[in-house]
Amino acid sequence: KPKRRHIALLFLTITDLPHEHVWKAWLKSSKYFKDDLGDERENNVTNGGNQIGNGKGNEEMDEATAPPLVSIIFHAKYPERIKSPWVKQRHLIRLPLHILNGETEDKERDNRDEGRDSDRVSTNPSSTMPATSERQRGNSAAETMNNNDDNNSGINGGSTNKMPMSSFAPKFHSRRPEWGSLEITRGMIDLLDEGLRIGNTSAPVARKGEKEDLRCAYRRYLSTPGDILPEKSALASSGNGAGKDGEAKSAQYVPRITSDRDIPPVDRFIFVSESCLPVATLDEVELALFGPRKTIGNDASENHKGDECNKKGVQSLYNKSWINARSTPNNGYSRQLQWDEIRPTDIPQNLIWKADQWIVLTRSHGEAVTSMPSKYLNGRYLWTALRNCRASDEMYFPTALSILGILQRGGNDKEVDDSSKGESCAGKEIRRRKITYCDWSMGAKNPVAYTLKDWKEVAEKARNEGCLFARKFVPQRGKMKSGSTGNDGIISAREWVDTIVGIGGK
């Protein structure tokens, strides 16, 4: 039986998502939910997120023709300042106690090498260690954080081993990243690691014999209409300050997916910032990432066992990661503060690559990167070699894929740079193209910032360049009233719909 295609949006934010209402409109922009982008679709954006434009509820879905499932995960710099129940429900959390492979989280964390004593990373593939049956948590949402209480004792100071999970309040997980810091990279690793657990039936959220705690269920990330876990279930008594404003509007709503074990694994992971906006409908994003829906054999979803391309040993055009990478520094800043800050004894210069951090990873590539410590790096973490590197988030994933042999130079070891042509010039498993439009033409520290007045022009430019998202859309300083269309520069859901339809969105 074919599985639904599954996309995970991995958000890096400061606090809330200024254009949350637009993203909710995008989640409903598939023709499966309504035949055209009309008023009904936008109105349903604000009704609690659980109604569907064409009235389809929790009835049986044809998995072969259904729109992709979309999960959304947040990592905020200041999660305690988040006001939106929708964002709170989907933020990374840290559990006071979690049973994994028979160990408490305390023991697991104590046994892991965080790279504090030695940050040297071996990139010799011959140092491969035996693969374990279950992937280690790596840089997970359960690691120690400097923004939360690190005391893992019970709520009354006693041992947690004798107390049920329901007695604990999950806490937000955050690396508290500063601009250009290594913590941004580690937050991205945390997001990917969590996304890989969605649909992983071996990842428990409760002790055996205990009732499932929906505050910790992976279903809380599901965000497409009909699949959403009601906010009342996901946020009630969460300890994150959700309160009653997180309750779902309709008490009759029942999601189609009622167990974490029914969630198909994620096929594509997309890194997104709070200043990003979609410039394509959900259907268009699906087509760009997976290809047309002809037969199961042509499907680029890694959940489809009958992939014809895999049987023939030929890489599908669509079953690839999108990374606009290069193997050389693009300017003096990059040379001095990125390449030169990485010790050759840690990572050889010929394995260092760079890309903008807004990339798409296939599941196989995401799993390969997260398994590197056990398979390639003698248990060390690659991020430890980037401690002195500025904007390591531009270096980590391309360099990891280079070490893995996925990102590659062209014939005769030709460098990949601005003069390189073609999407396949960086390896047969990579589409060397941008997924997010961004304007750096001003030569400044940050890209050009846009507001409502720029929206249509930027959307057209982004689509013309084959991008699916665009940034950097920011409200004016001191103005962040979600959904407004006044002087704060925020784009409304109506304006987003009208623009996308006007420029050919399908």
Side-chain angles (χ1 to χ4, degrees), residues 97-121:
L97 181 65
H98 193 82
I99 304 300
L100 185 71
N101 295 335
E103 292 188 338
T104 65
E105 199 169 69
D106 282 341
K107 184 177 180 182
E108 179 197 358
R109 184 170 60 251
D110 291 341
N111 288 341
R112 287 181 52 247
D113 176 15
E114 287 281 41
R116 294 188 180 94
D117 299 324
S118 173
D119 60 1
R120 178 162 297 185
V121 176

Side-chain angles (χ1 to χ4, degrees), residues 43 87 93 134 183 240 250 259 282 286 314 317 338 414:
N43 292 338
V87 175
I93 60 171
E134 291 189 44
E183 281 65 38
N240 283 333
S250 173
S259 169
L282 179 56
E286 178 191 17
V314 178
L317 170 64
Q338 293 182 318
K414 184 179 180 180

Side-chain angles (χ1 to χ4, degrees), residues 12 30 42 90 166 179 184 195 204 217 224 231-232 241-242 265 311 334 429 477:
L12 290 165
S30 171
E42 183 190 2
R90 292 162 176 82
S166 58
W179 185 88
I184 296 177
T224 31
E231 291 169 0
K232 181 177 181 180
K311 288 181 179 179
S334 181
E429 298 180 42
R477 188 177 298 276

Side-chain angles (χ1 to χ4, degrees), residues 212 214 219 254-262:
E212 180 184 29
L214 294 179
R219 302 197 301 288
V254 178
R256 276 186 294 262
I257 297 176
T258 57
S259 169
D260 282 2
R261 296 182 182 276
D262 296 332

Side-chain angles (χ1 to χ4, degrees), residues 286-297:
E286 178 191 17
L287 178 63
L289 297 182
F290 295 95
R293 289 176 175 270
K294 294 182 180 179
T295 65
I296 297 303

